[in-house]
DNA sequence: GTAGGGTTAG
């Protein structure tokens, strides 16, 4: 831009500023280039006495992708009043703006206008129309238009696939993807992103495999989705492979891809690498800061997360609502009550961010973990919104940690009423009763679950070894290495007993006799996965496990001891956070 | 010129 300002100055002195061709190019650079400046483009535009069609198109195009797409509409009205007729270049930009502000009625009107002007046969205009309709939530209109088209071009197909993906109809998206005559990288990216969005990360990986077989080289956009899939799966080695791919293929590492990498490493327990990636990023936006703050928080490094937050403020990056979710989460997990309260206040008063239900959840968690259950309840009562299940869940968590049976029972009942189909709610209440040795109540809950036909979700643990993901359920005997695994498990148990471990059977759901309970615990999926890891991973490799549920008290204390006995780092990602076990300690400081 | 990407409480 500095260079451009010099050129502009020169143009003024030489009189070239009045030359339409030169003025157009100047505006075009400011409005469209990555190193341009949209505000300066507006400034130049206002100084132009008679902007021509090209200038209008450029300004409409630039505004359509700017943070205020409404400007495009304004510019369009202005050009019409000034008697300039829009052409087939104008409409795609204008329709993009309509889509972004979800102005369906306006979009329809423009559709009518361009029908009259007979511009609807232009393939760019058609694809833009399809995209406008899907962005405005009207997939049916998009489909009607799409069906009427005789020339099947790849862009309109992609726009249509994107429309299906937006409404979560991956079946139709995949159907069209398979049916279209030719697919380009955008087609692949769209379906891959679609899989990730509906939570089918495995399918996303499979599609990438197919693309690989066909020799398609993916770019930074596809990779961002694929890294997000790795993050969800907790597949560190898969994610690392993509990281290497980025370097190998000289893919542009922009802020979005950097954020995906940070998130992938954090969600796979590789928080040190996440930090390195973050430090090496030349341009960090709010999302990148948010990703590292949240990553540190769920990995149990609350203080580090807060340091980075302070750094963010020093560097003048504006925190948003998501930043504060990370900050509050960091405070509650690290037991920093006063800081949490202070940040919450500053979010509202200083940053003028209106708290959302997620922030309330963090606050209840903050009070609850600190043992201030009365304050937590008081906070919930004063909320301007109906508390949701997550808020009660946070309070129940606090009751559990601090052994408050009365309040816990009350909250547990509310939760079951609120989400009668959610098995975890019953399990939690039942565990609370079991902790208090109230076996009759435990049995009642079991009965209730049976009557309502609700099944407990079985615990599953995944572990990666030699490029393969292995999954275990409780008492699993399906793995080819079953014999060795159980042998190792016996050895582990012997070592544990020698180290003074006694099984904590308090949270076993069934009212079994003590010996049965111990057996049930001994074969919990994470213990099987640890045994598998000890057998198959080299002595210096940390054991990384991803669990679908929260880790139980018994497995937690057993894992701490195992990390010491076998001198092995064990990293467990459970449903809500990370546990880094090392030399008998866990990063969660036994609060989770 | 049109179509595809990242962070979010328990």
């Amino acid at each position: 831009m500095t260079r451009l300002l010099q050129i502009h100055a020169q143009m003024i002195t030489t009189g070239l500023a009045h030359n339409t061709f030169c003025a157009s190019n100047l505006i075009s650079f400011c409005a469209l280039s990555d190193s341009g400046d949209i505000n300066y483009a507006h400034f130049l535009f206002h100084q132009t006495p008679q902007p021509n069609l090209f200038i209008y198109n450029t300004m409409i195009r630039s505004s359509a992708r700017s943070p205020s797409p409404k400007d495009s509409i304004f510019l369009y009205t202005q050009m019409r009043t000034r008697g300039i007729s829009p052409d087939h270049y104008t409409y795609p930009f204008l329709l993009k703006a309509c889509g972004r502000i979800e102005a369906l009625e306006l979009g329809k009107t423009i559709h009518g206008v361009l029908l009259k002007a007979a511009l609807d046969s232009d393939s760019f205009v058609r694809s833009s129309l399809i995209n406008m309709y899907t962005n405005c939530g009207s997939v049916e209109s998009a489909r009607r238009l799409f069906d009427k088209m005789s020339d099947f071009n790849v862009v309109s197909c992609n726009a249509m696939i994107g429309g299906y993906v937006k409404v979560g109809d991956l079946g139709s998206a995949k159907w069209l993807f398979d049916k279209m005559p030719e697919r380009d990288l955008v087609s692949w990216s769209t379906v891959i992103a679609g899989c990730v969005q509906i939570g089918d990360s495995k399918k996303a990986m499979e599609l990438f495999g197919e693309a690989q077989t066909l020799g398609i080289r993916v770019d930074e956009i596809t990779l961002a989705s694929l890294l997000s899939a790795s993050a969800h799966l907790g597949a560190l080695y898969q994610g690392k492979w993509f990281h290497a791919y980025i370097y190998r293929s000289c893919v542009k590492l922009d802020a979005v891809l950097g954020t995906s990498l940070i998130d992938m490493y954090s969600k796979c327990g590789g928080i040190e690498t996440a930090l390195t990636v973050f430090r090496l990023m030349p341009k960090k936006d709010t999302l990148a800061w948010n990703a590292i703050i949240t990553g540190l928080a769920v990995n149990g490094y609350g203080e580090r997360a807060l340091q980075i937050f302070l750094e963010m403020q020093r560097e003048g990056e504006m925190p948003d609502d998501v930043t504060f979710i990370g900050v509050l989460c960091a405070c509650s997990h690290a037991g920093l009550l006063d800081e949490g309260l202070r940040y919450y206040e500053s979010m509202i008063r200083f940053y003028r961010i209106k708290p959302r239900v997620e922030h309330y959840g963090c606050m209840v968690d903050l009070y609850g973990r600190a043992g201030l259950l009365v304050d937590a309840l008081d906070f919930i009562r004063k909320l301007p919104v109906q508390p949701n299940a997550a808020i009660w869940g946070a309070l129940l968590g606090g009751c559990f940690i601090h052994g408050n049976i009365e309040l816990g029972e009350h909250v547990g009942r509310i939760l079951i009423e609120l989400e009668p189909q959610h098995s975890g709610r019953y399990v939690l209440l039942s565990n609370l009763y079991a902790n208090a040795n109230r076996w009759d109540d435990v049995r009642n809950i079991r009965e209730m679950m049976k009557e309502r036909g609700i099944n407990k979700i079985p615990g599953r643990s995944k572990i990666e070894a030699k490029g393969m993901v292995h999954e275990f359920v409780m008492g699993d005997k399906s793995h080819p290495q079953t014999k060795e695994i159980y042998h190792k498990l016996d050895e582990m148990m012997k070592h544990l007993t020698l180290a003074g471990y006694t099984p904590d059977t308090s949270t076993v759901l069934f009212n079994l006799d003590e010996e049965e309970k111990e057996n049930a615990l001994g074969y919990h999926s994470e213990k099987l996965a640890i045994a598998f890891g000890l057998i198959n991973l080299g002595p210096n490799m940390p054991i990384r496990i991803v669990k679908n549920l929260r880790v139980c008290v018994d497995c937690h204390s057993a894992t701490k001891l195992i990390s010491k006995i076998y001198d092995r780092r064990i990293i467990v990602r459970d449903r809500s956070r990370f546990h880094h076990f090392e030399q008998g300690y866990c990063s969660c400081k036994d609060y989770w």
Side-chain angles (χ1 to χ4, degrees):
Chain A
M1 271 310 283
T2 328
R3 190 89 188 91
L4 183 118
L5 291 175
Q6 290 170 350
I7 295 169
H8 187 206
Q10 216 166 38
M11 278 170 63
I12 294 168
T13 47
T14 54
L16 268 177
H18 294 294
N19 176 307
T20 323
F21 180 76
C22 291
S24 301
N25 276 323
L26 200 62
I27 291 180
S28 164
F29 176 84
C30 295
L32 301 174
S33 161
D34 278 342
S35 44
D37 181 346
I38 175 118
N39 295 321
Y40 201 70
H42 274 285
F43 167 74
L44 290 172
F45 175 78
H46 286 301
Q47 290 200 331
T48 314
Q50 294 277 306
N52 59 17
L53 177 62
F54 178 84
I55 294 180
Y56 267 110
N57 283 350
T58 307
M59 290 303 292
I60 292 173
R61 178 183 175 195
S62 149
S63 301
R65 64 184 200 192
S66 77
S68 58
K70 258 193 164 159
D71 292 346
S72 303
I73 320 289
F74 176 72
L75 286 156
Y76 171 73
T77 336
Q78 194 187 65
M79 77 185 279
R80 300 228 67 158
T81 343
R82 291 193 180 170
I84 299 170
S85 293
D87 64 359
H88 59 290
Y89 281 94
T90 319
Y91 288 104
F93 310 138
L94 187 61
L95 290 166
K96 187 194 179 85
C98 290
R100 283 197 55 205
I101 58 174
E102 294 175 36
L104 182 61
E105 287 312 312
L106 182 64
K108 280 184 186 166
T109 314
I110 294 167
H111 189 177
V113 171
L114 58 88
L115 277 173
K116 264 186 230 155
L119 285 169
D120 62 313
S121 54
D122 183 274
S123 73
F124 286 84
V125 172
R126 287 187 179 192
S127 307
S128 305
L129 273 170
I130 292 173
N131 199 42
M132 180 275 292
Y133 279 118
T134 63
N135 276 329
C136 293
S138 187
V139 196
E140 302 80 23
S141 308
R143 183 59 204 247
R144 274 197 296 276
L145 208 66
F146 182 73
D147 285 340
K148 270 193 272 174
M149 286 168 62
S150 47
D151 56 330
F152 246 11
N153 77 59
V154 64
V155 179
S156 55
C157 284
N158 288 345
M160 199 59 232
I161 293 175
Y164 287 132
V165 163
K166 265 173 223 123
V167 292
D169 182 0
L170 210 75
S172 303
K174 190 69 191 358
W175 170 80
L176 184 54
F177 177 79
D178 291 331
K179 199 170 153 275
M180 63 198 283
E182 51 167 331
R183 285 161 279 275
D184 65 3
L185 190 48
V186 178
S187 329
W188 285 94
S189 287
T190 312
V191 277
I192 289 176
C195 293
V196 179
Q197 274 162 38
I198 63 158
D200 196 347
S201 300
K202 260 189 162 166
K203 183 86 194 152
M205 294 297 183
E206 282 169 27
L207 280 165
F208 171 70
E210 273 182 52
Q212 280 283 98
T213 321
L214 295 169
I216 295 167
R217 294 209 76 75
V218 295
D219 65 0
E220 70 276 10
I221 295 186
T222 330
L223 280 162
S225 294
L226 289 165
L227 282 167
S228 171
S230 312
H232 286 298
L233 293 168
L236 178 67
Y237 296 99
Q238 178 72 261
K240 273 188 172 171
W241 190 88
F242 288 130
H243 195 176
Y245 184 102
I246 293 169
Y247 276 98
R248 209 171 51 226
S249 312
C250 301
V251 173
K252 190 175 134 205
L253 216 169
D254 59 16
V256 177
L257 193 53
T259 306
S260 313
L261 274 172
I262 293 171
D263 187 51
M264 181 277 292
Y265 279 115
S266 323
K267 287 212 171 75
C268 293
I271 191 66
E272 299 89 355
T273 321
L275 265 169
T276 314
V277 173
F278 176 74
R279 290 290 174 216
L280 291 174
M281 268 173 81
K283 253 193 172 174
K284 309 174 180 79
D285 61 6
T286 310
L287 271 73
W289 287 95
N290 291 354
I292 194 68
I293 290 172
T294 311
L296 286 164
V298 295
N299 275 279
Y301 302 101
E303 278 96 351
R304 285 301 301 277
L306 295 181
Q307 279 169 13
I308 301 246
F309 175 60
L310 293 177
E311 205 182 303
M312 176 181 185
Q313 289 170 305
R314 272 202 305 274
E315 297 208 358
E317 187 71 44
M318 248 336 221
D320 64 5
D321 49 348
V322 179
T323 317
F324 280 98
I325 292 174
V327 168
L328 294 174
C329 177
C331 293
S332 72
H333 283 291
L336 303 166
L337 177 70
D338 293 335
E339 285 86 346
L341 295 175
R342 215 157 34 80
Y343 284 126
Y344 182 67
E345 277 301 304
S346 105
M347 171 182 93
I348 299 171
R349 311 251 173 270
F350 186 69
Y351 289 102
R352 303 266 162 205
I353 294 170
K354 196 171 168 255
R356 288 193 285 135
V357 68
E358 286 86 348
H359 299 103
Y360 298 142
C362 294
M363 291 307 288
V364 173
D365 191 47
L366 185 69
Y367 283 120
R369 277 179 204 272
L372 300 174
L373 297 167
V374 180
D375 297 75
L377 195 61
D378 197 42
F379 182 84
I380 295 176
R381 290 210 173 111
K382 285 182 184 151
L383 286 182
V385 293
Q386 267 311 341
N388 65 7
I391 291 191
W392 291 118
L395 183 58
L396 183 56
C399 295
F400 207 91
I401 295 170
H402 298 284
N404 189 328
I405 309 292
E406 293 77 29
L407 185 58
E409 183 178 13
H410 174 65
V411 176
R413 299 273 169 192
I414 293 177
L415 270 168
I416 289 180
E417 214 166 284
L418 223 55
E419 293 186 331
Q421 295 307 315
H422 191 306
S423 68
R425 307 302 183 201
Y426 298 85
V427 176
L428 217 55
L429 183 57
S430 157
N431 286 348
L432 195 79
Y433 285 136
N435 255 346
N437 282 320
R438 285 168 59 175
W439 297 105
D440 284 343
D441 290 309
V442 172
R443 207 171 301 123
N444 283 338
I445 298 285
R446 281 294 299 170
E447 291 294 317
M448 202 194 270
M449 282 180 81
K450 230 187 232 164
E451 276 167 28
R452 299 181 179 184
I454 290 149
N455 295 318
K456 187 175 183 278
I457 298 168
R460 294 177 176 278
S461 295
K462 284 188 287 189
I463 176 167
E464 265 187 330
K466 295 167 191 144
M468 288 263 291
V469 178
H470 304 257
E471 191 169 33
F472 297 92
V473 291
M474 187 177 97
D476 205 323
K477 294 209 164 144
S478 62
H479 197 275
Q481 287 179 299
T482 294
K483 220 174 145 193
E484 286 171 84
I485 293 169
Y486 279 81
H487 188 71
K488 193 57 148 183
L489 210 55
D490 279 344
E491 178 201 296
M492 275 162 56
M493 286 313 202
K494 274 184 201 136
H495 281 308
L496 281 171
T497 316
L498 281 174
Y501 156 87
T502 43
D504 181 342
T505 55
S506 62
T507 54
V508 176
L509 183 63
F510 308 95
N511 189 8
L512 310 166
D513 67 40
E514 285 300 315
E515 196 183 338
E516 279 179 280
K517 278 190 218 163
E518 283 186 24
N519 276 335
L521 285 173
Y523 300 136
H524 265 180
S525 64
E526 52 263 64
K527 292 205 184 82
L528 291 169
I530 292 173
F532 172 85
L534 286 171
I535 298 168
N536 291 289
L537 299 173
N540 295 321
M541 298 259 285
I543 295 175
R544 299 170 185 277
I545 292 170
V546 178
K547 253 211 98 177
N548 63 335
L549 303 173
R550 288 172 75 160
V551 54
C552 81
V553 183
D554 178 72
C555 283
H556 196 266
S557 38
T559 311
K560 281 198 288 185
L561 282 170
I562 293 166
S563 75
K564 189 164 184 211
I565 296 165
Y566 288 90
D567 188 20
R568 193 65 88 109
R569 277 181 69 201
I570 302 172
I571 300 159
V572 179
R573 174 175 114 179
D574 76 5
R575 222 187 133 77
S576 72
R577 59 165 296 147
F578 274 94
H579 302 266
H580 293 255
F581 298 95
E582 201 167 2
Q583 294 302 323
Y585 293 97
C586 178
S587 63
C588 79
K589 302 186 182 102
D590 300 337
Y591 273 2
W592 73 91

